[in-house]
Amino acid sequence: MSNKNQIMQPALPFAENALEPVISAKTIGFHYGKHHKAYVDNLNKLTAGTEFEGLPLEEIIKKTADKQEHTGIFNNAAQVWNHTFFWNSLRSNGGGKPSEVLMKKIEESFGSFDDFLKELTEAAKTQFGSGWAWLVLDGNDLKVMKTPNAETPLTMGVTPLLTIDVWEHAYYLDYQNKRPDYVTTVLDKLINWEFAANNLK
Ligand code: MN3
């Protein structure tokens, strides 16, 4: 059952096994096929017949942020958006260094690329419980942020450039409790700097 008013789950931008061995096909299968899909399905159930049915995803997120009576819709909508953004933040044979324009911006904002990596890694490691680590553009400066649960920089007046999902479901099958190993390996091998650079424009 589907109709034109429903939010669709975008296709993965890579094959389920494309990120191996850093993230297994099994993890991607559950994460995209069960977790991400459940947020899409729940969102469509919760918005059916409401003022939010048929609105673009970003609009649903912005209209329900910080509204206690719409927490359920916000959480599912933001998680749909955050996950799609996360898939695009990754690629096989990613990692390495960003291209010139983004690199220059990173050096201006953080001092050096290594200092930036340190700060992003620290944010991802220390986000208490479930959440996300982000690189965002705030005015003219790049910043590292972390958000709990479904919270998203999209509602905070900044432009997200890339994200890392640090909910346990993102890494537990492959890394168990070793979140730091997951984070450093993803940054080293999978981060899609081209995607981040394109979000700068
Ligand atoms: Mn997730």
Side-chain angles (χ1 to χ4, degrees), residues 23-45:
I23 301 177
S24 66
K26 190 175 179 187
T27 289
I28 297 293
F30 276 102
H31 199 172
Y32 174 79
K34 305 287 185 194
H35 292 273
H36 191 185
K37 182 178 187 301
Y39 294 125
V40 174
D41 292 345
N42 287 334
L43 176 63
N44 284 321
K45 267 183 224 152

Side-chain angles (χ1 to χ4, degrees), residues 37-69:
K37 182 178 187 301
Y39 294 125
V40 174
D41 292 345
N42 287 334
L43 176 63
N44 284 321
K45 267 183 224 152
L46 289 168
T47 53
T50 73
E51 64 192 288
F52 304 108
E53 184 177 350
L55 294 183
L57 184 60
E58 286 83 356
E59 215 171 305
I60 298 175
I61 294 168
K62 286 174 180 166
K63 285 189 164 163
T64 56
D66 301 318
K67 303 250 164 58
Q68 221 168 11
E69 68 275 27

Side-chain angles (χ1 to χ4, degrees), residues 24 56 59 83 105 125 136 142-143 156:
S24 66
E59 215 171 305
H83 278 91
K105 197 100 186 132
K125 284 185 199 170
V136 304
L142 298 183
K143 283 186 182 155
M156 301 173 187

Side-chain angles (χ1 to χ4, degrees), residues 4-172:
K4 64 180 171 43
N5 281 338
Q6 292 199 316
I7 297 290
M8 306 295 288
Q9 183 181 24
L12 266 182
F14 40 72
E16 282 192 6
N17 65 358
L19 307 184
E20 291 196 329
V22 180
I23 301 177
S24 66
K26 190 175 179 187
T27 289
I28 297 293
F30 276 102
H31 199 172
Y32 174 79
K34 305 287 185 194
H35 292 273
H36 191 185
K37 182 178 187 301
Y39 294 125
V40 174
D41 292 345
N42 287 334
L43 176 63
N44 284 321
K45 267 183 224 152
L46 289 168
T47 53
T50 73
E51 64 192 288
F52 304 108
E53 184 177 350
L55 294 183
L57 184 60
E58 286 83 356
E59 215 171 305
I60 298 175
I61 294 168
K62 286 174 180 166
K63 285 189 164 163
T64 56
D66 301 318
K67 303 250 164 58
Q68 221 168 11
E69 68 275 27
H70 297 310
T71 302
I73 292 177
F74 172 80
N75 283 341
N76 284 284
Q79 283 294 79
V80 171
W81 192 92
N82 288 349
H83 278 91
T84 301
F85 197 78
F86 175 55
W87 305 131
N88 282 299
S89 298
L90 306 176
R91 51 165 296 179
S92 60
N93 300 310
K97 290 188 172 167
S99 57
E100 206 182 331
V101 174
L102 179 55
M103 184 58 113
K104 188 163 172 275
K105 197 100 186 132
I106 285 175
E107 287 169 349
E108 283 168 6
S109 298
F110 298 94
S112 71
F113 185 63
D114 281 351
D115 285 331
F116 155 68
L117 280 185
K118 231 177 267 173
E119 192 172 331
L120 182 60
T121 307
E122 199 56 24
K125 284 185 199 170
T126 57
Q127 167 54 39
F128 185 77
S130 296
W132 302 83
W134 304 85
L135 174 64
V136 304
L137 179 67
D138 183 2
N140 268 325
D141 296 322
L142 298 183
K143 283 186 182 155
V144 163
M145 289 180 63
K146 49 185 176 179
T147 61
N149 303 313
E151 297 294 322
T152 176
L154 208 55
T155 63
M156 301 173 187
V158 297
T159 305
L161 302 190
L162 67 83
T163 192
I164 302 175
D165 187 342
V166 296
W167 284 58
E168 279 190 349
H169 65 229
Y171 58 87
Y172 210 85

